Amino acid sequence: MSTVADQILRAPPGISPKPSPPPLPAPGASPRASISARPAAVPDFKAAHALQRFWWTGLAAAMAWGALAVLTYVWPNKPAGFSEWAFTEEFAAGAAVIALALAVVALAPRVLGAVGQRLRPAGPWLVAIAVGLAVWEVFTAKLGTLPPPFFAPPQSLVEVYVTDWARLLESAVASVRLLALGIAIGAVAGFVTGVLIGWSRQASYWIHPVLRILGPVPTTALLPVSFYFFPSSWSTAIFLIALGTAFPVAILTWSGVAGVHKNYYDVARTLGASPWFLVLRVAIPAALPQVFVGLFMGLGAAFSTLVVAEMLGVKAGLGWYLTWAQGWAAYPNMYAALIVMALLFSGVITLLFVLRDRVLSWQKGVVKW
């Protein structure tokens, strides 16, 4: 059997010889011997090094949250004509706990493992949030530059979430129920209308002018008229939310169905497809990207309509809570409700994009939120 050196000597100039394959195991030998002769897997030193790497941004975030805790606890609050701001010590303790946790992650990355690794990209934001809370605390509770009760320190929001969480939760559940029902009705109505006018010329002739005239009208402007035609403020709010959602969904679904290339229909007809097959299996799948864009646009109109309807007629929900807090000059409650509202609406849009990525897997990541 020739060796590697003999192959090199016999190889033509400029051509590197192929190494000889490993010898086959002898007859009767155990196959485990050949398996054990394979080289061991190279450990991922890069991942291990990233896990052990010192997190400087996390240490800066820990110092920022620690400074916030010291500032809140040591610096006395300025008298504001009423009793001391409640939950000041609790807010300082919470900031200290966050600072301690970040310091542990920064100095000992192995303690939290993968959880600590996921926190690393959020390091600059952790610093910014601590600095922002510190500035907010200084200009409200410590210096009184922003006058109470219109401006309240961060610990006042903690007080609202601790003492009035039941009413806030009840309002959030009422808003979610109203929003979900209105969006569901509007999305279905808009989708069916868009497919109808995109597929049928006769339907487009009669429905399209109505959409062009009534669609751009703000749904909140129809609130006084809707109260007359519907038996309750609840049904009025559902109608207006559905109307605000249906218009962009209908327009963009129509655009998606009408924009399907005719060659797709020709190929399907050649294979014997029926008109229902063309609608359900060709037109609608091709229009789905536009449908989700319409849903995204309709959610903005639905949110604004929901808040206005709850402020003016519906006796429940976060919009009603805002009006109630403003009437009692409970501005911390109002700010707390605004934060809950922002998180809730952002979560709804996030769920929409998760659904879009599942349905349109071939377009995952094209539109980001």
Side-chain angles (χ1 to χ4, degrees):
M1 182 179 294
S2 60
T3 62
V4 177
D6 296 335
Q7 295 180 13
I8 295 175
L9 292 176
R10 291 198 298 266
I15 301 178
S16 59
K18 297 182 179 179
S20 58
L24 296 175
S30 174
R32 295 184 179 179
S34 59
I35 296 176
S36 60
R38 295 177 183 176
V42 179
D44 193 354
F45 293 106
K46 186 176 180 180
H49 177 69
L51 189 61
Q52 297 176 358
R53 189 176 52 195
F54 189 81
W55 187 24
W56 291 101
T57 310
L59 184 60
M63 295 174 62
W65 283 93
L68 173 62
V70 173
L71 181 147
T72 304
Y73 185 77
V74 175
W75 192 346
N77 296 332
K78 183 178 179 179
F82 53 87
S83 59
E84 173 72 8
W85 291 110
F87 288 87
T88 298
E89 296 180 357
E90 289 80 358
F91 179 71
V97 170
I98 296 176
L100 179 60
L102 290 174
V104 170
V105 176
L107 298 175
R110 286 185 174 274
V111 173
L112 293 181
V115 177
Q117 286 296 109
R118 292 179 182 177
L119 284 177
R120 287 179 179 269
W125 270 109
L126 293 173
V127 177
I129 291 174
V131 172
L133 290 175
V135 173
W136 183 5
E137 178 74 17
V138 168
F139 282 97
T140 52
K142 307 305 180 185
L143 297 179
T145 305
L146 300 176
F150 303 102
F151 299 95
Q155 55 263 35
S156 63
L157 301 184
V158 177
E159 179 183 5
V160 172
Y161 291 133
V162 171
T163 60
D164 204 25
W165 66 268
R167 185 178 300 171
L168 264 175
L169 179 61
E170 182 181 358
S171 300
V173 170
S175 294
V176 169
R177 187 185 302 116
L178 182 61
L179 187 67
L181 190 56
I183 289 176
I185 296 174
V188 172
F191 177 75
V192 173
T193 303
V195 172
L196 188 62
I197 63 178
W199 183 260
S200 172
R201 292 183 178 180
Q202 186 175 3
S204 177
Y205 176 81
W206 290 105
I207 301 176
H208 184 212
V210 178
L211 289 179
R212 294 186 63 178
I213 295 174
L214 296 180
V217 177
T219 54
T220 53
L222 302 176
L223 192 60
V225 180
S226 302
F227 277 129
Y228 177 79
F229 288 101
F230 289 89
S232 64
S233 57
W234 175 267
S235 56
T236 302
I238 291 177
F239 167 73
L240 293 177
I241 293 172
L243 185 63
T245 306
F247 173 66
V249 173
I251 294 297
L252 286 168
T253 303
W254 165 44
S255 176
V257 172
V260 179
H261 201 281
K262 61 176 296 184
N263 290 342
Y264 295 144
Y265 296 125
D266 294 339
V267 172
R269 289 191 185 98
T270 303
L271 297 175
S274 63
W276 280 107
F277 185 91
L278 294 178
V279 174
L280 298 177
R281 302 299 297 273
V282 179
I284 291 179
L288 282 180
Q290 298 280 47
V291 173
F292 278 99
V293 175
L295 282 172
F296 175 74
M297 297 176 62
L299 286 180
F303 295 155
S304 60
T305 305
L306 169 72
V307 175
V308 173
E310 289 178 342
M311 283 183 170
L312 298 181
V314 181
K315 301 303 180 183
L318 293 173
W320 170 85
Y321 189 92
L322 287 174
T323 305
W324 170 83
Q326 184 181 7
W328 288 94
Y331 290 95
N333 297 67
M334 189 174 65
Y335 297 143
L338 286 174
I339 293 175
V340 173
M341 189 180 297
L343 295 176
L344 175 63
F345 293 165
S346 177
V348 171
I349 297 179
T350 302
L351 288 177
L352 174 65
F353 274 81
V354 170
L355 178 62
R356 182 190 184 279
D357 291 340
R358 292 291 297 272
V359 175
L360 306 177
S361 57
W362 67 92
Q363 286 193 343
K364 186 176 182 179
V366 175
V367 181
K368 297 182 179 180
W369 167 249

